[in-house]
């Protein structure tokens, strides 16, 4: 949603504060701002638009100071303008606040603060916190930490807040509720940020913060208290990935780099999951065999691309483990009356572990008595912390807003889960499980093979760059692949794209085929001949072709294809594993379309990587 950074130490603060924002720009890029703590006052600069605008505003007159806070925004309350950019200050201009999230009761607070003489200069919910903290700090004898503790009790909503005051600029105070905040421990310097990526260049030692915990950092100390004012022991952990992982490494875009990292990401997520006696190893599940045997239902909740991984889970788990699986968009889940109890396993899939819709669904499911398993890529993020168990995917940091490698690793994780459940419930023999696992071990090399031969696809894509609609067709596990292809194209190329189950075509969508515009249709040909699905898809291809569509088919090597203008071949393998391979050309297609149309690939318009509001 928004990215926030705090620094206090011996360096010129502007370096870690701006560099940190560069690493967090994936969280939002509507505006950026900085507050530097000079001994007598605060130096504030903020600009609408990307970080580059702030940087050019800063260069001529930047003071050398050693602490401050910085912010990159995804706008919620108030348009993306200079005046709505963070930091926001009190009326004396001495206290600055940055914020990620939403203050739900900001209008009540604002009315109350205005009646006490405060005047507001932005349309944001955040500014009310700056004025509130200013009053509370005075009431608490100038103690910003105690003022923050008092303020949090008055705030409703989700927030990470950082504040600094000109009278004590080395001290930075932060708090989090339903929104991420981590601390970085340096040598004579300390950091606060939405994500460790912001300070990974400076330290690998991090501290996770719990709900409603208030943290105060100075160059030489880190203190955490809870809402009752009691000291909290820091929960320190080591950051395992290195700084290079958060850089482009010679690729033109993070997205392209991340597409090419997929073989490794899939291999890392798969590694070590089969024991010498052919048992699937997922100790993190924390379930006994009896508990697994007693499961009656699985409910998968997720958003966006992660939801498509959930759809693949349905096909795999129902087929292998014979347990009924429901897949639900997380934002819809808690607003009906979902039927869950202790015999339900709820699986929450999220790359970031911070998606508010998914988090709220997790809380709802837990309150209803379900056991919750998170599948997540981000260590110590909120969703895994609030779940009963977590399977971490090993995709490494995903910086591009469009999710690629995270999806493939999520699909691997749901396959592993499906195999584990099937093995414990004796729906698959050890030999069958071993054979599927070994087929999965071939996936990294097969993805590699697709990526090695991707150049013709990139050329082909450019021919379609002026299309205004692209349709995707899939059947069975190819259906979520079609949905994912369409989502990627909308997100990156800003064109109308829709994914359909092939069988639905004749029930309405076929009317979208325009013979004059020769609407492009990308069809994912089902692997194998189970239920003759491949033949049914070949009929769909004929149907759209007869109405003027230009058809691109994604098909396994050796499978017969009739009626396609272009065929993109992927290595052959079991039908259920096909999404891992078939998704890759669609990612490349969307990437190339975005480049051809001159769009910002890594930071598409209007989006943010991590959506921490409902
Ligand atoms: O972090 P999450 O996996 O919970 O995020 C879910 C969606 O917001 C995310 O997958 C989104 O749809 C991507 N930008 C799609 O590429």
């Amino acid at each position: 949603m928004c990215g926030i950074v705090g620094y206090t130490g011996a360096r010129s603060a502007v370096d870690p504060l701006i560099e940190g924002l560069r690493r967090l720009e994936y969280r939002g890029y509507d505006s950026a701002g900085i507050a530097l703590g000079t001994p007598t006052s605060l130096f504030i600069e903020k600009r609408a638009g990307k970080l580059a605008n702030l940087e050019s505003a800063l260069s001529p007159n930047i003071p050398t100071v050693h602490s401050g806070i910085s912010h990159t925004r995804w706008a919620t309350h108030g348009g993306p303008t200079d005046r709505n950019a963070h930091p926001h200050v009190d009326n004396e201009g001495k206290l600055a606040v940055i914020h990620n999230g939403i203050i739900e009761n900001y209008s009540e607070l604002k009315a109350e603060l205005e009646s006490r003489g405060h005047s507001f200069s932005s349309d944001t919910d955040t500014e009310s916190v700056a004025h509130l903290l200013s009053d509370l700090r005075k009431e608490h004898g100038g103690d910003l930490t105690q003022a923050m503790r008092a303020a949090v009790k008055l705030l409703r909503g989700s927030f990470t807040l950082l504040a600094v005051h000109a009278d004590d600029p080395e001290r930075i105070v932060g708090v989090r509720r339903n929104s991420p905040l981590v601390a970085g421990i340096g040598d004579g310097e300390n950091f606060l940020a939405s994500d460790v990526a912001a300070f990974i260049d400076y330290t690998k030692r991090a501290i996770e913060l719990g709900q409603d915990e208030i943290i105060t950092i100075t160059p030489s100390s880190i203190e955490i208290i809870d809402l009752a004012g009691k000291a909290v022991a820091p929960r320190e952990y080591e950051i395992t990935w290195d700084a290079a992982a958060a850089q482009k490494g010679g690729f033109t875009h993070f997205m392209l780099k991340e597409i090419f990292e997929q073989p490794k990401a899939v291999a890392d997520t798969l590694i070590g999951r089969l024991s010498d006696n052919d048992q699937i190893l997922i100790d993190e599940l924390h379930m006994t065999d009896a508990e697994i045997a007693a499961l009656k239902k699985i409910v998968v909740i997720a958003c966006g691309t992660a939801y498509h991984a959930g759809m693949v889970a349905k096909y795999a788990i129902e087929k292998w483990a014979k347990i009924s699986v429901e897949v639900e968009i997380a934002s819809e889940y808690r607003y009906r009356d979902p039927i869950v109890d202790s015999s339900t396993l709820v699986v929450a899939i999220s790359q970031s572990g911070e998606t508010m819709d998914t988090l709220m669904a997790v809380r709802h499911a837990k309150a209803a008595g379900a056991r919750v398993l998170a599948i997540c890529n981000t260590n110590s993020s909120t969703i895994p912390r609030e779940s009963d168990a977590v399977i971490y995917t090993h995709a490494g940091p995903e910086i591009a807003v469009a999710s690629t490698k995270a999806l493939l690793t999520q699909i691997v994780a749901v396959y592993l889960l499906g195999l584990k459940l099937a093995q414990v419930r004796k729906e698959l023999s050890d030999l069958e499980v071993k054979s599927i696992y070994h087929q999965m071990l071939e996936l990294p090399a097969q993805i590699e093979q697709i990526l090695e031969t991707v150049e013709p696809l990139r050329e082909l894509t450019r021919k379609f760059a002026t299309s205004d609609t692209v349709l995707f067709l899939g059947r069975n596990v190819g259906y979520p692949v079609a949905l994912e292809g369409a989502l990627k194209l909308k997100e990156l190329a800003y064109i109308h794209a829709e994914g359909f189950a092939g069988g639905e075509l004749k029930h309405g969508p076929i009317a979208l085929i325009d013979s004059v515009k020769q609407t492009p249709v990308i069809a994912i040909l089902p692997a194998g001949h189970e239920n003759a699905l491949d033949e049914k898809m070949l009929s769909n291809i004929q149907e759209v072709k007869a109405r003027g569509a230009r058809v691109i088919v994604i098909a396994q090597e050796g499978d017969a294809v009739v009626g396609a203008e272009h065929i993109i071949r992927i290595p052959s393998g079991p039908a259920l594993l096909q999404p891992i391979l078939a998704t890759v050309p669609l990612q490349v297609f969307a990437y190339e379309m975005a480049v051809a149309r001159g769009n910002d690939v890594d930071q598409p318009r209007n989006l943010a990587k991590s959506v921490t509001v409902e």
Side-chain angles (χ1 to χ4, degrees):
M1 193 87 325
C2 298
I4 63 177
V5 188
Y7 173 78
T8 181
R11 307 170 196 270
S12 170
V14 79
D15 299 334
L17 290 174
I18 294 293
E19 214 32 60
L21 288 189
R22 205 180 316 288
R23 299 284 174 80
L24 297 186
E25 239 192 330
Y26 73 85
R27 300 180 65 85
Y29 30 83
D30 287 333
S31 64
I34 191 167
L36 296 171
T38 73
T40 49
S41 62
L42 293 177
F43 172 91
I44 308 254
E45 192 63 81
K46 47 192 200 172
R47 284 288 184 274
K50 293 202 172 173
L51 180 57
N53 295 359
L54 173 68
E55 286 181 283
S56 32
L58 274 178
S59 37
N61 50 356
I62 194 156
T64 305
V65 295
H66 305 286
S67 64
I69 56 180
S70 60
H71 186 269
T72 181
R73 178 171 188 241
W74 187 79
T76 57
H77 293 62
T81 58
D82 285 355
R83 67 193 275 276
N84 288 333
H86 299 210
H88 291 283
V89 290
D90 64 352
N91 282 147
E92 290 157 23
K94 293 187 86 174
L95 187 150
V97 170
I98 54 177
H99 168 216
N100 170 31
I102 288 179
I103 308 294
E104 285 167 4
N105 56 332
Y106 81 99
S107 45
E108 291 155 41
L109 289 171
K110 183 174 177 184
E112 162 73 17
L113 288 156
E114 279 177 332
S115 75
R116 282 195 249 145
H118 291 266
S119 60
F120 281 67
S121 54
S122 78
D123 314 312
T124 66
D125 52 343
T126 307
E127 193 184 347
S128 55
V129 181
H131 294 280
L132 178 67
L133 271 177
S134 180
D135 280 5
L136 289 170
R137 185 178 167 277
K138 284 174 195 147
E139 280 173 30
H140 287 84
D143 186 332
L144 187 56
T145 305
Q146 290 306 323
M148 185 68 92
R149 185 165 82 88
V152 170
K153 293 181 185 169
L154 302 174
L155 301 179
R156 289 203 309 271
S158 64
F159 46 81
T160 299
L161 294 162
L162 293 192
V164 62
H165 195 280
D167 288 352
D168 190 5
E170 282 195 335
R171 176 178 306 272
I172 295 167
V173 179
V175 68
R176 66 167 288 267
R177 177 185 294 168
N178 298 335
S179 178
L181 178 62
V182 282
I185 311 169
D187 188 8
E189 59 184 355
N190 288 308
F191 305 80
L192 289 169
S194 309
D195 177 339
V196 295
F199 53 71
I200 184 87
D201 278 342
Y202 306 101
T203 180
K204 294 270 181 72
R205 293 173 63 199
I207 296 175
E208 65 174 55
L209 284 179
Q211 190 80 328
D212 282 346
E213 287 177 353
I214 297 133
I215 183 164
T216 305
I217 62 167
T218 69
S220 55
S221 66
I222 295 182
E223 280 164 17
I224 306 171
I225 56 169
D226 63 16
L227 263 193
K230 224 170 90 221
V232 174
R235 291 178 297 276
E236 188 179 330
Y237 66 98
E238 183 83 12
I239 304 163
T240 49
W241 46 271
D242 70 44
Q247 284 158 6
K248 283 188 201 153
F251 285 89
T252 37
H253 297 97
F254 278 110
M255 184 186 175
L256 194 60
K257 174 182 173 240
E258 287 160 9
I259 288 173
F260 276 82
E261 283 172 346
Q262 291 183 119
K264 181 174 184 314
V266 167
D268 288 351
T269 306
L270 267 172
I271 203 159
R273 293 299 189 172
L274 192 72
S275 72
D276 291 344
N277 61 343
D278 300 333
Q279 301 303 299
I280 292 288
L281 298 171
I282 318 184
D283 295 345
E284 314 92 294
L285 205 53
H286 298 315
M287 285 178 82
T288 62
D289 287 1
E291 285 169 334
I292 291 177
L295 281 178
K296 294 219 166 62
K297 185 169 73 171
I298 292 179
V299 176
V300 185
I301 45 178
C303 302
T305 287
Y307 173 77
H308 300 148
M311 289 180 72
V312 176
K314 179 174 173 66
Y315 290 95
I317 296 174
E318 288 189 344
K319 172 97 178 167
W320 291 335
K322 309 278 184 273
I323 308 180
S324 155
V325 181
E326 293 170 11
V327 193
E328 181 135 4
I329 290 171
S331 54
E332 288 294 314
Y333 182 70
R334 73 184 176 117
Y335 296 104
R336 51 184 190 83
D337 285 321
I339 299 164
V340 282
D341 57 26
S342 57
S343 66
T344 310
L345 176 67
V346 169
V347 180
I349 307 179
S350 174
Q351 187 285 131
S352 62
E354 300 293 347
T355 301
M356 187 56 71
D357 292 317
T358 311
L359 177 62
M360 289 304 176
V362 164
R363 288 185 180 161
H364 190 81
K366 279 196 80 175
R371 180 190 292 267
V372 178
L373 167 71
I375 292 178
C376 185
N377 193 43
T378 311
N379 271 320
S380 301
S381 53
T382 310
I383 290 171
R385 280 217 308 262
E386 295 204 11
S387 300
D388 298 298
V390 53
I391 300 176
Y392 280 112
T393 50
H394 295 282
E398 193 180 66
I399 309 283
V401 166
S403 187
T404 52
K405 60 178 179 169
L407 169 68
L408 295 205
T409 58
Q410 286 159 354
I411 298 176
V412 168
V414 300
Y415 287 154
L416 290 169
L417 177 65
L419 290 180
K420 171 81 184 170
L421 301 181
Q423 192 164 43
V424 172
R425 293 164 71 99
K426 306 211 181 315
E427 296 292 347
L428 290 180
S429 68
D430 290 354
L431 201 63
E432 287 169 313
V433 166
K434 180 182 174 178
S435 154
I436 297 169
Y437 182 77
H438 280 277
Q439 283 161 335
M440 285 168 68
L441 290 178
E442 289 175 26
L443 290 169
Q446 292 175 327
I447 302 167
E448 196 98 56
Q449 188 185 326
I450 297 171
L451 292 173
E452 273 164 13
T453 53
V454 88
E455 210 37 56
L457 168 61
R458 294 178 73 170
E459 265 168 46
L460 169 69
T461 307
R462 287 173 218 136
K463 292 190 192 157
F464 291 91
T466 53
S467 311
D468 56 10
T469 294
V470 179
L471 305 181
F472 293 78
L473 298 182
R475 283 174 179 262
N476 196 264
V477 278
Y479 174 40
V481 175
L483 293 178
E484 175 62 9
L487 176 60
K488 280 288 153 291
L489 204 57
K490 281 183 256 206
E491 185 176 27
L492 291 160
Y494 316 151
I495 62 178
H496 173 230
E498 285 195 62
F500 301 107
E504 275 294 287
L505 194 64
K506 56 192 174 297
H507 299 289
I510 200 163
L512 288 168
I513 309 286
D514 184 324
S515 60
V516 178
K517 291 185 176 169
Q518 296 186 298
T519 308
V521 173
I522 301 187
I524 297 107
L525 191 69
H529 298 286
E530 203 176 332
N531 304 324
L533 279 181
D534 54 342
E535 286 167 15
K536 290 185 177 119
M537 181 57 80
L538 289 173
S539 302
N540 292 146
I541 291 168
Q542 294 305 327
E543 288 154 12
V544 294
K545 205 173 159 228
R547 288 158 179 86
R550 297 177 69 182
V551 183
I552 303 170
V553 174
I554 298 186
Q556 289 198 349
E557 276 154 7
D559 284 354
V561 180
V562 191
E565 184 175 326
H566 301 281
I567 304 173
I568 298 161
R569 293 289 179 182
I570 55 174
S572 60
L576 266 179
L577 304 188
Q578 200 194 36
I580 294 267
L581 302 177
T583 300
V584 177
L586 301 187
Q587 296 168 339
V588 174
F589 184 80
Y591 169 83
E592 206 55 47
M593 283 287 250
V595 172
R597 293 167 74 96
N599 295 351
D600 188 335
V601 173
D602 287 333
Q603 296 176 340
R605 71 184 180 200
N606 304 337
L607 293 172
K609 176 103 187 130
S610 173
V611 185
T612 55
V613 292
E614 274 189 280

